[in-house]
Amino acid sequence: MTLSELTDEFLVYISAVRGLSDNTVTGYKKDLECLANLLSPQMDIIEIRKENLLLCIGQLSAKQKSAASINRFIAAMRTLFSYARKFGYLEKNPALEVKTVKLPKKIPNFMTETEVNALCDAPVKNELLWQSRDRALFEMLYSSGCRASEMANLSLKDFRDGWHCAVVHGKGNKERIVYFEKDAVEALKIYLADRTKKFDELNVPLKERPETVFINQGGTSLTTGGIRYILSKYSGAQGTKHHINPHAFRHTFATQMLSNGADVRLVQEMLGHSSISTTQRYTHITTEKLIDIYNHAHPHS
């Protein structure tokens, strides 16, 4: 079996059988296409050795790829060859002995309370796109800690207890409950009324209206890319002039929850992290925040 054939079969498997998200499948596809280009798409998989894979990693390093990108590439290789071994195409996984690259410590990008409030208020003060939708979107991202993809896929039928909580489908299609505080709920109600008016203006029949909460000006479901674009408009030169990506809301949610005394395992559950170590990195942020406050407030600092 060639590397190209194995890759095609593997991608079908993780999509159709394991049900991984489109974003995850696309990520695997990108890394495995890179592997094929560095070796050869027609190379027989039984000829691939650890040394071949190490040379690939060396080439990525020479191209100054980040440590995170290289580690993702290694993880994709390991998973591909584990699949090949599981189904009897290989006797041994050549990627198991390939070690990951040490990652530099990086603090997740988060906003201060003042910054996040300014961003949530930005659509009201400066209507660049769709005022009620954009305010509801920002308030709900901040209130729930959802990923942009989770918010894009959020459906009207997912809500529970009125509009105060919802079931979202995270990575690996894992379900969890997220919560929305009063500002988010109020903003959502205003937007939903405008959403109905928008469909009426576009003459979209009830049965053809998408179930997703957030839509674009054309009446179709808002995508993850659309959410990034909206946020770039309000955080760019025409808005707060402090450009951020949607994940900053999630980082801010986690940081503020832990800073205000929430249990780390509760925050882990709310964020949908499979490992508590992922959540614990936010405790490092809160520690640094305390040190910064001390250094600024202590008279002898």
Side-chain angles (χ1 to χ4, degrees):
M1 176 178 277
T2 66
L3 182 56
S4 177
E5 291 170 339
L6 177 64
T7 298
D8 290 342
E9 183 178 310
F10 170 74
L11 293 173
V12 171
Y13 172 77
I14 62 174
S15 176
V17 180
R18 292 190 56 193
L20 300 187
S21 71
D22 291 342
N23 286 342
T24 301
V25 174
T26 300
Y28 272 112
K29 183 179 180 181
K30 181 179 177 181
D31 285 323
L32 295 177
E33 284 178 348
C34 177
L35 174 65
N37 290 331
L38 291 171
L39 294 174
S40 167
Q42 301 309 313
M43 187 173 187
D44 195 310
I45 60 171
I46 63 174
E47 297 177 358
I48 298 174
R49 301 287 184 267
K50 180 182 75 171
E51 291 72 23
N52 300 118
L53 304 181
L54 290 174
L55 284 173
C56 291
I57 295 168
Q59 291 179 65
L60 293 177
S61 297
K63 293 178 181 179
Q64 297 185 330
K65 296 293 184 181
S66 69
S69 295
I70 293 174
N71 284 344
R72 190 189 65 231
F73 175 79
I74 293 170
M77 289 193 310
R78 285 177 177 171
T79 308
L80 175 71
F81 292 120
S82 290
Y83 168 85
R85 192 183 185 291
K86 177 180 179 180
F87 289 96
Y89 300 134
L90 287 175
E91 293 184 1
K92 185 179 179 181
N93 183 342
L96 284 180
E97 297 179 31
V98 177
K99 295 182 179 179
T100 55
V101 180
K102 186 176 181 180
L103 288 169
K105 288 187 177 180
K106 185 178 179 181
I107 298 174
N109 181 30
F110 69 100
M111 295 176 278
T112 64
E113 189 172 350
T114 300
E115 288 171 337
V116 75
N117 287 339
L119 189 54
C120 287
D121 290 339
V124 177
K125 296 180 179 179
N126 185 13
E127 185 177 1
L128 298 174
L129 298 169
W130 184 349
Q131 184 184 72
S132 63
R133 179 201 62 187
D134 302 338
R135 180 179 175 85
L137 176 63
F138 295 168
E139 290 284 1
M140 291 177 70
L141 282 169
Y142 176 43
S143 176
S144 64
C146 279
R147 301 177 178 91
S149 59
E150 293 168 347
M151 193 59 66
N153 293 325
L154 187 64
S155 172
L156 294 171
K157 67 178 183 295
D158 293 330
F159 283 89
R160 306 287 186 272
D161 188 26
W163 303 107
H164 292 278
C165 63
V167 175
V168 298
H169 304 272
K171 289 185 176 180
N173 206 30
K174 293 179 181 177
E175 290 187 353
R176 73 179 191 281
I177 296 178
V178 297
Y179 301 91
F180 305 104
E181 46 74 49
K182 64 177 183 178
D183 288 342
V185 172
E186 289 172 5
L188 175 63
K189 288 179 179 178
I190 294 171
Y191 159 64
L192 289 177
D194 285 348
R195 178 180 181 275
T196 300
K197 292 178 184 177
K198 174 65 71 176
F199 282 132
D200 292 341
E201 290 171 2
L202 296 171
N203 294 315
V204 180
L206 284 173
K207 63 180 181 179
E208 295 180 14
R209 298 179 182 185
E211 277 290 312
T212 50
V213 175
F214 290 102
I215 60 170
N216 57 32
Q217 298 280 10
T220 59
S221 298
L222 191 65
T223 64
T224 303
I227 292 176
R228 290 197 188 97
Y229 172 76
I230 291 168
L231 189 53
S232 71
K233 293 291 286 185
Y234 285 102
S235 65
Q238 293 176 286
T240 61
K241 298 180 177 62
H242 179 63
H243 183 75
I244 62 165
N245 60 51
H247 227 59
F249 279 110
R250 184 170 165 85
H251 294 325
T252 304
F253 168 86
T255 303
Q256 293 193 358
M257 288 288 288
L258 290 168
S259 295
N260 292 324
D263 182 84
V264 66
R265 293 195 178 276
L266 176 63
V267 177
Q268 176 193 3
E269 182 70 24
M270 290 181 172
L271 292 173
H273 287 158
S274 57
S275 171
I276 196 169
S277 62
T278 307
T279 314
Q280 285 175 327
R281 64 180 177 157
Y282 294 104
T283 63
H284 301 155
I285 299 174
T286 57
T287 301
E288 291 195 11
K289 182 179 177 182
L290 288 173
I291 293 171
D292 184 59
I293 291 171
Y294 174 85
N295 289 334
H296 282 85
H298 195 279
H300 286 181
S301 64

